[in-house]
Amino acid sequence: MANNIVVIGTQWGDEGKGKVVDLLAPRCAAVVRFQGGHNAGHTLVLNGKKTILHLIPSGILHKETKCYIGNGVVLSLEALEKEIAELSDSVDVFSKLRISNACTLILPTHIALDQAREIQRGSEAIGTTGRGIGPAYEDKVARRAVKLSDCRDEENLKEKIMALVGYHNFLLEHYYNAKAMDALEIFEEVVQRYRRIQQMVCDVSVELSNSKKEGHSILFEGAQGAMLDIDHGTYPFVTSSNTAAGNAASGTGLGPRDIDHVLGISKAYTTRVGGGPFPTELFDDVGEKIATIGNEIGASTGRARRCGWFDVPVMRRAIINSSVDSLCITKLDVLDSLPEIKICVAYELDGKRIEIAPNNPDDFSRCKPIYESYQGWQSTTESVREYDKLPQKALDYLSAIEKLLSVKIDIISTSPDRNDTIVLKDLINE
Ligand code: IMP
């Protein structure tokens, strides 16, 4: 039976979701993004060639797979056009991509507001990607956003943009001491950009529902990670959308029963970009070694990622929030040279042991990791494609993770290349 699978990150993003989506995509009729925007950075590697996607779903390189941007995504037309141009040598994006008419638009003033807010926060800055994601979601929830469907009628669009940019300019000038922007110029730019992409705009919910009725599999591609979820993450150091699997339904307009399997993606250790608590963060040579070997530089912003040990309490929270059915562990090879590998199995909070990351951010920031130590395998797992060829100590490490989480590992990734992957279960046709 064909399954619909949600792929989500179970840490703070950058877990390697793009590679896994790219791997599963050829056997699905559709890959759909359901939240976030071009703050994401999904890296795909095939035969040494690297493609970084920010907005377009990671199935785009596969001929037979249609890609969708769902209503839950905040859409920058400028970022979209840039990505289409970057892909134009290898893919005709116009014939493969469909975009929900219910997407919220990111305008240049959203970006200005995002950046002005970060400056105002000073040392308390969230470390956003500065792409206008938060301000665009704010406008959506405040019911004043411009939707892609508003672009169909230029008079109506003009009125909406003038009103919204007028409001943004008031904030920029009088609250953030920043420069106002030209509303008319923004309107004209949106009109031009919309004309160039309008052939891809559609009712994504209906198209996906029809595809499902025909018996095809849909792959829902999450962005960011569980701990960046606006409700369940380390608030306020989070993104502005629900990254949990439930949003795969609301962010595309399908229902929760259209999801058959939730695949959680996790690195064999933990990373985080931007500010906020991170209990297992390493500040020593080991952390630096992991960062260097793992090339832990943000795909979207080029910022250095913070690195730390695998964090079971965080994973347990993610598994609860997204009813994770099974896991994919990525970047196992990054740990190859370490003599000792630690797993945080629980936290100490105010003198008490707790097993699951607390949902209160103040409590979270006071948590201290309790570690168990594992012997490193100190031999290469890089590019290994068979489970039995992994060193015994690496298998012990993976078994420990499964046991601590009571969730099975179905996929193991041993390099950024699509083909360097150990697949233990066929998730599409269970
Ligand atoms: P925003 O999504 O740009 O508002 O950023 C909010 C927080 O989410 C910051 O800590 C960012 O570093 C983080 N973030 C956003 N997108 C990603 C991502 O794709 N990977 C990792 N972190 C991200």
Side-chain angles (χ1 to χ4, degrees), residues 304-319:
R305 295 181 187 137
R306 302 152 67 191
C307 296
W309 296 119
F310 191 83
D311 187 326
V312 165
V314 155
M315 294 290 294
R316 288 189 179 128
R317 166 78 45 196
I319 289 164

Side-chain angles (χ1 to χ4, degrees), residues 12-14 39-41 126-130 133-134 224 228 238-239 273-274 303:
W12 276 280
D14 309 316
N39 50 348
I126 286 163
T128 71
T129 58
I133 307 294
Q224 292 83 50
L228 290 171
V238 291
T239 192
V273 208
R303 289 181 293 177

Side-chain angles (χ1 to χ4, degrees), residues 153-185:
D153 173 347
E154 286 179 19
E155 271 316 299
N156 165 49
L157 177 69
K158 189 172 183 181
E159 223 172 84
K160 288 208 162 145
I161 289 185
M162 297 310 274
L164 186 58
V165 173
Y167 168 68
H168 290 165
N169 278 341
F170 183 83
L171 289 176
L172 285 168
E173 281 189 301
H174 301 292
Y175 192 74
Y176 294 109
N177 206 14
K179 266 204 189 138
M181 300 183 85
D182 187 329
L184 203 56
E185 224 172 76

Side-chain angles (χ1 to χ4, degrees), residues 217-355:
S217 288
I218 299 167
L219 197 54
F220 299 87
E221 178 179 13
Q224 292 83 50
M227 285 293 121
L228 290 171
D229 185 285
I230 184 76
D231 287 300
H232 307 292
T234 47
Y235 191 90
F237 297 97
V238 291
T239 192
S240 299
S241 63
N242 284 112
T243 57
N247 199 16
S250 358
T252 60
L254 292 180
R257 284 202 296 270
D258 293 324
I259 297 169
D260 300 303
H261 190 101
V262 179
L263 179 67
I265 317 294
S266 163
K267 280 180 187 163
Y269 48 98
T270 311
T271 62
R272 160 159 220 181
V273 208
F278 180 1
T280 66
E281 183 168 10
L282 287 163
F283 299 97
D284 57 7
D285 293 354
V286 181
E288 254 176 55
K289 198 168 182 183
I290 293 174
T292 308
I293 300 172
N295 190 26
E296 293 299 353
I297 312 277
S300 269
T301 57
R303 289 181 293 177
R305 295 181 187 137
R306 302 152 67 191
C307 296
W309 296 119
F310 191 83
D311 187 326
V312 165
V314 155
M315 294 290 294
R316 288 189 179 128
R317 166 78 45 196
I319 289 164
I320 292 172
N321 291 153
S322 286
S323 50
V324 172
D325 292 298
S326 68
L327 290 172
C328 163
I329 300 291
T330 62
K331 295 192 123 174
L332 184 68
D333 56 297
V334 172
L335 303 181
D336 281 354
S337 63
L338 301 183
E340 183 195 24
I341 299 171
K342 291 184 184 172
I343 296 182
C344 166
V345 293
Y347 292 151
E348 189 200 307
L349 174 62
D350 302 335
K352 285 199 189 110
R353 180 183 167 110
I354 58 166
E355 309 295 325

